[in-house]
Amino acid sequence: MGTIEALIPAARQANTADLLEVDADELARYVADTANPWWRREPCAAALAGRVPEAHVPKLLAHIRDLDETAGVRIALLDILGYREELLPWLQHEDRKADNSYGVPEAILKARGMVGDRTATCELTTLANSPWPHRSAVGEAGLEALIARYGTEEVLSQLDDARPDDRAFCVRLRHRAGEDVTEALADPDVGVACLAHSLVDDEEALRRYLEHAPTADAKLWAACALYRLNNNLSEIQEIYDSLGRPRVEIDGLDEEIRSAIRGEYAPGCQARTDPRWRVEAICAEPVQPPDEYDQLRRAITALESANPAPHRPILCGTGYSEGDGTYNEIRHGGTTVRVSTLGRFVTGNEDVAVRGALEAAGFRWIDRTLGSIKVTGLCVYFFGDREPLDVYDLLFYWQD
């Protein structure tokens, strides 16, 4: 077994430190040889950072341009060679927009920053503002490369203040420079305001800001920031009361369902969630979840009156063979009942006998009309999206 094979015995098992000691010429030849497995070539490419032999550059650049090359190898090569001026025409070519190999479009954008392409600035700020950390880190790296080359002011001059992504980047830069970003709590874009609330760190400045904040939402963001800094419940409750306890009102959503959903999702909500949900969740009385075992026992007993042989309850994750969520599933006969872990909520096929038996046992049946109500303003992660969901998906949530 050769040195490289010994240092990378299997996929994702590279001895990164020792690879840095391997001769650069040997590594470059190994990367360029497509007969070698991609999972060895990728870490070998990364180990060439800062020491790519000039004689191998043309061939390695060709691998970047090769659409049939493995995405991981192309990305690793872009990381170490993206700054090469001769690569710029290819990076800027219109065809790059159609290059959808996983992670490659982001790596191309980062490389445009590395090579000094200021026309990529706004695309990079959008990438840097991605809710996916692995994508936002790539965008930030491209922007940092532009700043290192041209300076902060020159990069800022490329931005459009009308774009929330660009404003978010400015907030990050100002905070990093030690500037006060409290005023950004009033940004009309909820994502930018949320970012500012996560960065401000001066309690007294926030209290002063509350006195003249231009909007109720800005005051709510300031209250959230204060609570993040001091965990003083009475202070945020006082602010909430002074504002009239504003809520995101939703037609048809009663307090029982609202409380269950708020208690489960508002505390860990996504960045674009309305601040009214955030403050309501902090100030509301804690929601006591039901006794899951007792609830399932009562459901089984009720179902036995409508059908004598219900199956054993299973968690939604078990039913899908992966993941987790907020309901248990009971199968019996030709129907399936879902029992929420968030409250006395059940749903299933419209079987009159089943529904009647469960309602007689004290459960609430979530029918199509009630389940289709959109819980606006409350953003929840759901299969890659981070948008408001309807009552059904929230009470009977599953995520793999």
Side-chain angles (χ1 to χ4, degrees), residues 308-383:
H311 290 201
R312 179 177 60 84
I314 58 173
L315 287 166
C316 55
T318 303
Y320 283 107
S321 299
E322 61 181 346
D324 199 4
T326 64
Y327 68 91
N328 288 277
E329 196 168 73
I330 304 174
R331 300 171 185 171
H332 62 109
T335 189
T336 300
V337 170
R338 292 181 172 183
V339 182
S340 178
T341 61
L342 304 186
R344 60 188 187 99
F345 314 112
V346 294
T347 194
N349 303 332
E350 285 294 336
D351 185 307
V352 175
V354 167
R355 175 173 179 171
L358 288 166
E359 288 180 332
F363 289 95
R364 281 191 66 181
W365 188 270
I366 305 300
D367 60 19
R368 185 172 301 175
T369 299
L370 186 54
S372 65
I373 295 173
K374 184 78 72 175
V375 183
T376 55
L378 179 60
C379 296
V380 177
Y381 180 84
F382 194 58
F383 291 96

Side-chain angles (χ1 to χ4, degrees), residues 3-308:
T3 302
I4 290 175
E5 287 77 7
L7 293 176
I8 316 172
R12 305 188 185 282
Q13 292 185 18
N15 185 334
T16 305
D18 286 351
L19 275 175
L20 296 175
E21 303 300 321
V22 176
D23 179 70
D25 193 67
E26 180 182 354
L27 288 172
R29 286 197 306 271
Y30 194 94
V31 173
D33 186 351
T34 55
N36 295 318
W38 67 267
W39 47 267
R40 283 195 173 113
R41 295 167 62 225
E42 183 179 333
C44 286
L48 282 168
R51 60 189 188 113
V52 180
E54 193 65 28
H56 291 278
V57 168
K59 183 172 287 189
L60 295 178
L61 291 179
H63 281 275
I64 290 175
R65 301 185 185 101
D66 183 2
L67 300 185
D68 292 326
E69 175 61 273
T70 304
V73 175
R74 295 176 71 199
I75 292 168
L77 289 172
L78 279 165
D79 279 344
I80 64 170
L81 291 172
Y83 65 91
R84 299 288 299 205
E85 297 287 343
E86 61 266 44
L87 196 59
L88 183 57
W90 180 85
L91 292 170
Q92 292 178 320
H93 196 280
E94 189 68 20
D95 288 350
R96 300 292 75 74
K97 295 180 180 179
D99 192 340
N100 291 321
S101 301
Y102 182 78
V104 172
E106 294 88 345
I108 287 173
L109 264 180
K110 174 184 170 182
R112 287 173 64 186
M114 292 166 62
V115 78
D117 180 8
R118 284 172 288 188
T119 67
T121 304
C122 288
E123 291 175 87
L124 283 166
T125 61
T126 296
L127 184 59
N129 207 33
S130 168
W132 295 99
H134 67 280
R135 300 185 77 243
S136 64
V138 176
E140 289 170 4
L143 289 166
E144 288 299 326
L146 286 173
I147 290 172
R149 183 180 288 245
Y150 300 111
T152 301
E153 293 305 315
E154 176 61 26
V155 173
L156 288 175
S157 71
Q158 305 292 314
L159 303 183
D160 180 357
D161 191 55
R163 300 180 69 248
D165 292 332
D166 289 4
R167 297 201 302 274
F169 177 56
C170 289
V171 169
R172 292 191 192 94
L173 280 182
R174 288 171 52 202
H175 178 261
R176 190 173 68 183
E179 298 180 27
D180 180 17
V181 297
T182 308
E183 295 295 332
L185 296 172
D187 194 283
D189 181 82
V190 66
V192 178
C194 181
L195 172 65
H197 117 278
S198 73
L199 296 176
V200 291
D201 53 10
D202 186 331
E203 291 184 40
E204 290 308 313
L206 283 166
R207 294 187 182 97
R208 290 193 298 271
Y209 178 76
L210 277 164
E211 298 175 3
H212 67 269
T215 65
D217 279 2
K219 291 178 184 289
L220 290 170
W221 282 118
C224 287
L226 273 172
Y227 187 72
R228 175 179 62 81
L229 292 171
N230 61 24
N231 206 38
N232 187 334
L233 181 58
S234 62
E235 182 174 30
I236 193 172
Q237 286 178 328
E238 183 178 342
I239 296 168
Y240 193 38
D241 289 340
S242 73
L243 295 172
R245 302 182 70 84
R247 308 197 316 174
V248 179
E249 298 297 347
I250 300 167
D251 290 341
L253 189 68
D254 60 67
E255 284 304 313
E256 182 182 25
I257 296 176
R258 184 188 188 100
S259 296
I261 290 173
R262 180 188 63 225
E264 176 69 13
Y265 299 102
C269 58
Q270 297 292 313
R272 300 196 65 81
T273 292
D274 191 300
R276 289 173 289 177
W277 275 114
R278 297 171 184 270
V279 178
E280 179 184 341
I282 294 169
C283 295
E285 289 294 324
V287 177
Q288 184 66 37
D291 183 317
E292 190 173 335
Y293 175 82
D294 178 66
Q295 185 162 262
L296 289 173
R297 180 189 57 77
R298 290 191 298 109
I300 288 289
T301 301
L303 289 171
E304 286 174 341
S305 70
N307 186 312

